[in-house]
Amino acid sequence: MNMLMLLLRNLARGPSTDAFPFGDTFTPERLRGRIRFDPELCTGCRMCAHVCAGDAIHFDETDEGLRFTLWHNTCTFCGLCEHYCQTKAIHLTDDWHLAHLQQDKYAMIEQGVVAPAACAECGGRMTAPVPALTAMAYRASNRRIEHLQTLCPDCRRKAGVKGGRS
Amino acid sequence: MSFIARISQRSPWLYRINAGSCNGCDVELATTACIPRYDVERLGCQYCGSPKHADIVLITGPLTLRVKDKVLRLYEEIPDPKVTVAVGICPISGGVFRNSYAVAGAIDRYLPVDVNVPGCPPRPQAIIEGIAKAIDVWRERL
């Protein structure tokens, strides 16, 4: 009798086969898929490249600024980059539609250029700290901290030695 | 188009080569084939045991030096036209095993690849998507 009930229930439920690729499919909420990089939030610490298991993340200096490149074809989608990114510049989306033809192999990248800032003191090129980073480092911001953020590491060191009288 | 070419369009047979894979992608391949939820046979595909019957080759693993010659010999046995699908990041680029002394590296250095399915491992739906792309390539080739 139990078996008959089970059969009837299964008949009423219909097929359990996922409709994909002819229809929609489900995507788990926390699925780790295609990676998105936000250059506005990146502070150029390169921790993501350091922890990357598949060596998928590379940084290089270009004329436009610090360029972040991630190749999805060697990324294990482990999520370490997102975990270690203090400013949340890297995010693993739930987009898993990554299958591609061979001619697109080297186009499967995520790229972004972190725009350089000019040092307020010497005018040299630097990667500016982002607000999220200072919010973590200091309990509250003040004028001195805001001033230090506009300086390049060398000028910041000099300003530190002078004890804030710069 | 001949009768055989017309009917074989609808039923490409799959063949799986493990080129030194960790078995992660192989488990996902087994899942796409054997579990009713993903059922790759809806696309007309079927896994076959002999390379001589294969139309679409699914390769997993980073092509270790130990299996390299065997994989290439096996690949030669598959009749043309054939479509090659690299499943997982290892056959595509070497993945986390890249630059290892025991790994020959990206499989497209040794044989022509048509479709790549990145992931570590890719989820069954992504593999089905890749196989669907491979079937499109295969129809053009027939």
Side-chain angles (χ1 to χ4, degrees):
Chain A
M1 206 55 203
N2 264 345
M3 191 191 76
L4 281 176
M5 289 302 289
L6 196 72
L7 274 175
L8 280 174
R9 207 164 61 218
N10 283 352
L11 272 175
R13 242 186 231 162
S16 63
T17 306
D18 207 46
F20 191 80
F22 307 110
D24 286 336
T25 183
F26 67 98
T27 304
E29 207 177 292
R30 294 176 65 193
L31 185 134
R32 299 190 300 267
R34 189 187 290 274
I35 287 154
R36 284 276 165 258
F37 173 70
D38 185 358
E40 298 282 309
L41 290 174
C42 179
T43 186
C45 70
R46 309 189 190 200
M47 186 49 99
C48 47
H50 179 70
V51 296
C52 183
D55 204 11
I57 298 175
H58 283 275
F59 280 96
D60 52 337
E61 287 283 355
T62 63
D63 291 339
E64 294 92 55
L66 187 67
R67 189 171 61 185
F68 167 97
T69 310
L70 181 142
W71 191 30
H72 286 105
N73 274 340
T74 186
C75 168
T76 56
F77 304 95
C78 62
L80 277 180
C81 48
E82 187 186 22
H83 178 79
Y84 282 100
C85 185
Q86 297 293 336
T87 56
K88 307 278 169 250
I90 296 181
H91 176 60
L92 276 80
T93 63
D94 61 1
D95 175 17
W96 49 268
H97 297 278
L98 290 157
H100 57 277
L101 297 176
Q102 173 69 7
Q103 62 255 39
D104 302 326
K105 181 176 173 183
Y106 296 103
M108 295 296 291
I109 54 168
E110 173 70 9
Q111 217 164 32
V113 177
V114 185
C119 170
E121 200 80 39
C122 67
R125 211 168 104 143
M126 63 161 188
T127 309
V130 296
L133 197 67
T134 36
M136 263 184 313
Y138 305 107
R139 224 175 281 161
S141 187
N142 58 36
R143 277 181 64 192
R144 178 167 159 73
I145 290 169
E146 274 162 29
H147 174 64
L148 283 175
Q149 278 173 39
T150 62
L151 303 179
C152 69
D154 284 341
C155 294
R156 212 179 304 153
R157 221 169 286 136
K158 281 178 200 159
V161 172
K162 282 181 193 162
R165 288 194 301 277
S166 66
Chain B
M1 196 185 288
S2 74
F3 176 68
I4 291 187
R6 212 166 58 238
I7 55 167
S8 56
Q9 267 193 354
R10 299 172 65 88
S11 63
W13 281 20
L14 307 176
Y15 184 69
R16 199 171 55 72
I17 299 179
N18 181 332
S21 164
C22 71
N23 251 14
C25 294
D26 299 282
V27 168
E28 297 298 318
L29 283 177
T31 309
T32 45
C34 303
I35 292 187
R37 187 179 221 171
Y38 304 117
D39 199 14
V40 79
E41 292 187 10
R42 287 174 302 151
L43 303 172
C45 301
Q46 195 185 10
Y47 278 93
C48 59
S50 165
K52 295 198 169 74
H53 300 158
D55 300 307
I56 294 175
V57 203
L58 305 159
I59 302 184
T60 58
L63 193 66
T64 54
L65 288 179
R66 197 165 174 85
V67 296
K68 186 183 137 201
D69 292 337
K70 296 183 181 86
V71 166
L72 297 181
R73 204 169 65 218
L74 208 54
Y75 188 80
E76 288 301 309
E77 279 185 38
I78 299 164
D80 285 319
K82 57 194 162 195
V83 178
T84 317
V85 184
V87 178
I89 58 168
C90 291
I92 303 174
S93 64
V96 290
F97 303 109
R98 199 167 66 234
N99 300 333
S100 161
Y101 66 91
V103 159
I107 215 145
D108 61 352
R109 286 186 209 157
Y110 304 95
L111 34 98
V113 174
D114 300 295
V115 180
N116 293 314
V117 187
C120 190
R123 72 186 303 225
Q125 284 94 332
I127 293 175
I128 289 178
E129 197 177 37
I131 291 174
K133 282 196 163 85
I135 291 172
D136 290 340
V137 173
W138 192 61
R139 280 187 185 147
E140 282 168 28
R141 274 195 199 157
L142 267 179

